[in-house]
Amino acid sequence: MKDQFYMQLALKEAEKAGEMGEVPIGAVIVLDGEVIASAHNLRETEQNATAHAELLAIDAACRKVGSWRLEEAVLYVTLEPCPMCAGAILQSRVKRVVFGAHDPKGGCAGTFMNLLQDSRFNHQCEVASGVMEEECGMILTVFFRQLREKKKAQRQEQRSRKLERNEIQ
């Protein structure tokens, strides 16, 4: 139940991202039962490839606790972390990662590869996957469906304008 509660907060962050036209991914970091940071994707808004929800939340959490070490923290994220985020999770020593939807194309917490539990690193994380997986996956599915429909409509509008211009000439 506790994991679902915090994942629900991460989903609220994801919704904020979606409303901004960002890929709807949200993250929350919890330490000693208290949310110390929350964030959502801002890659498009900031035009910054590193503005992923996890990295923004880790940065905020480190500032909040005054240390780069988040050794007892739990990170909740709606989509399985990518390689970049998995690296930051390891570097910040997050204790546990809980994610919702699996990412078959880039998930590095067990789906595509498992950086978070690779014994060759000096730190590994506990991982719990599939928490509220349907809800976390659905927000992404709906977002990308709407994005494809919008792009299709824009292409059709451009074709119509081009035909109109050709008929006028």
Side-chain angles (χ1 to χ4, degrees), residues 23 26 47 78 80 89 114-115 134 138 141 144 146 148 150 157 161-163 166:
V23 175
Q47 289 298 297
T78 56
E80 182 177 3
I89 290 164
N114 193 350
L115 293 178
E134 187 173 323
M138 187 55 66
T141 299
F144 285 113
Q146 290 172 343
R148 283 189 300 275
K150 182 179 176 182
E157 179 66 27
R161 286 186 193 148
K162 187 175 181 181
L163 285 173
N166 289 339

Side-chain angles (χ1 to χ4, degrees), residues 42-155:
L42 290 174
R43 194 165 57 167
E44 295 297 329
T45 301
E46 295 186 4
Q47 289 298 297
N48 181 343
T50 65
H52 287 204
E54 300 96 308
L55 295 182
L56 297 171
I58 288 169
D59 182 55
C62 289
R63 282 187 277 115
K64 171 97 175 177
V65 300
S67 173
W68 62 270
R69 294 177 184 268
L70 301 172
E71 293 173 318
E72 297 301 315
V74 180
L75 169 68
Y76 293 87
V77 62
T78 56
L79 181 66
E80 182 177 3
C82 72
M84 174 177 65
C85 293
I89 290 164
L90 290 173
Q91 291 299 315
S92 62
R93 308 297 195 263
V94 168
K95 181 178 184 174
R96 182 169 180 251
V97 173
V98 180
F99 71 88
H102 292 266
D103 183 357
K105 293 184 178 181
C108 287
T111 301
F112 183 73
M113 65 176 52
N114 193 350
L115 293 178
L116 296 181
Q117 295 180 316
D118 190 320
S119 62
R120 294 173 292 179
F121 290 114
N122 66 338
H123 177 75
Q124 292 84 41
C125 297
E126 297 171 30
V127 175
S129 64
V131 174
M132 298 184 69
E133 183 171 14
E134 187 173 323
E135 295 90 333
C136 292
M138 187 55 66
I139 194 171
L140 289 160
T141 299
V142 168
F143 175 82
F144 285 113
R145 183 182 306 130
Q146 290 172 343
L147 186 63
R148 283 189 300 275
E149 289 170 2
K150 182 179 176 182
K151 286 182 178 181
K152 183 178 178 181
Q154 287 172 340
R155 285 192 303 271

Side-chain angles (χ1 to χ4, degrees), residues 5-19:
F5 173 79
Y6 293 118
M7 187 60 74
Q8 190 67 254
L9 298 177
L11 271 166
K12 287 184 193 304
E13 287 294 321
E15 289 170 7
K16 291 178 191 176
E19 290 168 4

